[in-house]
Amino acid sequence: MMIGVKEKITSGQLMILIIQTQIGIGILFLPSTVEAVAKNDAWISVLMAGVASSLMILIMWALSRRFPSMILFDYLPLLLGKIAGKIVHVIYAMLFILECSLVMVMFADVVRDWVFASTPIWVILALMLGTSVYMAVARIQLIARFFVLTFGLIFVLILISTYAYRDADIMYILPVNGVGFPSIFKGMEKSLSSLFGFEILLLCYPNVIGVSKKILKAAMFGNIFSTCIYSFLVFTCLIVFSPEELRVIPQPVLYMVKSLSFTVFERADLYFLTIWVVVVVSTVISYLFMSAKSVSTLFGKKKHAGSVPVVALIILIISLIPHNQEMVNMLQNIVAGIAAVAIIVVPPILLGISYLLKIKGKEQTKG
């Protein structure tokens, strides 16, 4: 498959593409989610999740470099056959749609609880998806440029959070490894879902300019950056809040920011949320793009743009279904189950088949 110049992105843009897909909704929820199982060692769990995700990126990169001019859905039939390839293709399409739906559900809950308490959920969801559709129909090159433009906002979020260190107590994280390795490992499993998003490498590898080692470095640096951001936020929450407080606070980062008082302005949480919304928009755009790409190729279409509104409508309907925490937890478990198959199990199997049967794609001319 020949890819035009307008579809090409640089390795730096790939790095930011991965970061913006990984960092989003997890900023608010990860600290309390991981602390619930790993306690004061939650920050270690996040670092371990970063190592695990780096290993998965390495496998996806090794698989993609065997088919340098193809995306995942092009070489699935070559490795698995037509029927099995279609089944796995459907699994990936379901994963991307459900991941996006889960992000939308959690996003709507936060916005309703903190800003627009009386606004119907469907309005919040429709506005968010409508905005994201506008960018998701574009080429990967334009999406990457938008992500580069908004990338700096992540540093603003970190800067605001850093101010909370004036109330920090390092004693909260002691003793290190106090809960034992099994709990830290469970925390790592919880953290891993927040770092998902690097699977976009399987869909845009042929679009990246440069040799394969450069692509690997970009993907790895992106994952390391996201891991550091998440580790920093989890660590900050652990030393700002006592363990008892973290057990009852669902979004500790927002509570931490809300307590800050600046000379010039108040309600820092609202400024934080405003910037966070843009960061989440990037995540939604990325998942919309992956969902539309998987659906369009499933039906033999070359362009993904026509599938974006259809996929967005499906995501809107799914996002409206959960109406209590129990149903949200159920959706999280479904996404975690499909992700375990599609991201952790399938790529190593595909790589093994590719090497055993000596199936590989043709080299493409790199721009």
Side-chain angles (χ1 to χ4, degrees):
M1 182 179 71
M2 291 300 294
I3 296 175
V5 177
K6 291 182 178 179
E7 296 287 337
K8 292 285 185 180
I9 60 174
T10 65
S11 54
Q13 288 174 326
L14 171 69
M15 183 185 74
I16 293 176
L17 200 64
I18 290 175
I19 292 170
Q20 293 277 53
T21 309
Q22 288 180 309
I23 295 180
I25 204 79
I27 287 178
L28 301 187
F29 291 92
L30 186 62
S32 57
T33 304
V34 187
E35 197 276 341
V37 289
K39 308 301 176 191
N40 57 315
D41 292 322
W43 61 281
I44 301 176
S45 297
V46 180
L47 289 175
M48 287 176 60
V51 174
S53 54
S54 293
L55 182 61
M56 292 172 208
I57 288 172
L58 185 63
I59 293 170
M60 289 180 181
W61 168 79
L63 177 62
S64 298
R65 74 185 296 223
R66 302 272 300 170
F67 304 91
S69 61
M70 299 178 175
I71 65 170
L72 170 69
F73 306 126
D74 295 327
Y75 55 76
L76 271 179
L78 299 177
L79 296 175
L80 300 177
K82 201 170 181 181
I83 296 175
K86 283 287 181 189
I87 293 171
V88 174
H89 192 149
V90 170
I91 291 173
Y92 274 98
M94 286 172 56
L95 172 67
F96 298 141
I97 290 173
L98 290 176
E99 278 185 322
C100 193
S101 302
L102 181 60
V103 170
M104 292 302 302
V105 168
M106 299 173 83
F107 166 79
D109 282 346
V110 172
V111 172
R112 184 192 55 191
D113 293 345
W114 285 82
V115 189
F116 302 118
S118 302
T119 305
I121 285 289
W122 69 267
V123 174
I124 298 171
L125 291 170
L127 286 172
M128 182 61 156
L129 279 170
T131 309
S132 304
V133 164
Y134 180 75
M135 275 305 302
V137 296
R139 300 188 304 271
I140 186 71
Q141 189 187 56
L142 296 178
I143 293 174
R145 286 177 182 172
F146 173 75
F147 284 11
V148 171
L149 192 67
T150 57
F151 179 58
L153 293 175
I154 294 174
F155 293 98
V156 180
L157 294 179
I158 299 305
L159 191 64
I160 296 174
S161 305
T162 306
Y163 200 69
Y165 271 75
R166 61 178 189 165
D167 302 319
D169 184 352
I170 197 71
M171 297 301 289
Y172 285 147
I173 63 159
L174 299 178
V176 176
N177 195 26
V179 296
F181 187 76
S183 294
I184 294 175
F185 186 78
K186 287 180 184 175
M188 184 197 79
E189 291 178 326
K190 293 281 185 185
S191 307
L192 207 49
S193 59
S194 290
L195 286 169
F196 285 159
F198 52 79
E199 62 271 22
I200 197 172
L201 181 65
L202 294 170
L203 273 65
C204 66
Y205 183 94
N207 298 79
V208 186
I209 301 168
V211 295
S212 61
K213 286 183 180 177
K214 202 172 179 181
I215 296 174
L216 176 63
K217 280 182 184 176
M220 284 294 185
F221 280 138
N223 185 61
I224 291 169
F225 181 88
S226 301
T227 303
C228 290
I229 296 295
Y230 277 128
S231 301
F232 167 78
L233 287 171
V234 170
F235 185 84
T236 303
C237 289
L238 286 172
I239 61 175
V240 169
F241 295 107
S242 67
E244 293 77 19
E245 288 173 321
L246 275 175
R247 284 190 199 108
V248 296
I249 300 175
Q251 297 120 22
V253 174
L254 271 181
Y255 281 93
M256 181 176 71
V257 175
K258 187 181 180 182
S259 66
L260 303 179
S261 177
F262 299 92
T263 308
V264 181
F265 57 88
E266 296 182 349
R267 291 299 305 270
D269 54 314
L270 295 181
Y271 294 93
F272 188 94
L273 272 174
T274 304
I275 298 169
W276 174 76
V277 167
V278 181
V279 175
V280 176
V281 164
S282 301
T283 304
V284 174
I285 290 170
S286 199
Y287 277 116
L288 262 179
F289 173 80
M290 288 191 279
S291 303
K293 194 82 176 173
S294 57
V295 170
S296 59
T297 50
L298 189 63
F299 291 99
K301 295 181 179 177
K302 292 183 178 178
K303 301 289 184 182
H304 76 283
S307 303
V308 173
V310 179
V311 168
L313 183 62
I314 295 171
I315 290 169
L316 176 64
I317 294 170
I318 295 174
S319 305
L320 287 169
I321 295 173
H323 56 268
N324 56 40
Q325 191 55 45
E326 190 178 340
M327 295 186 76
V328 175
N329 293 340
M330 188 185 297
L331 180 60
Q332 281 180 317
N333 292 334
I334 292 171
V335 172
I338 299 175
V341 173
I343 298 177
I344 301 173
V345 177
V346 172
I349 292 175
L350 294 178
L351 183 62
I353 293 173
S354 174
Y355 273 107
L356 284 173
L357 302 183
K358 297 180 179 177
I359 301 173
K360 60 188 293 187
K362 294 178 181 177
E363 292 286 339
Q364 67 172 340
T365 304
K366 292 282 184 181

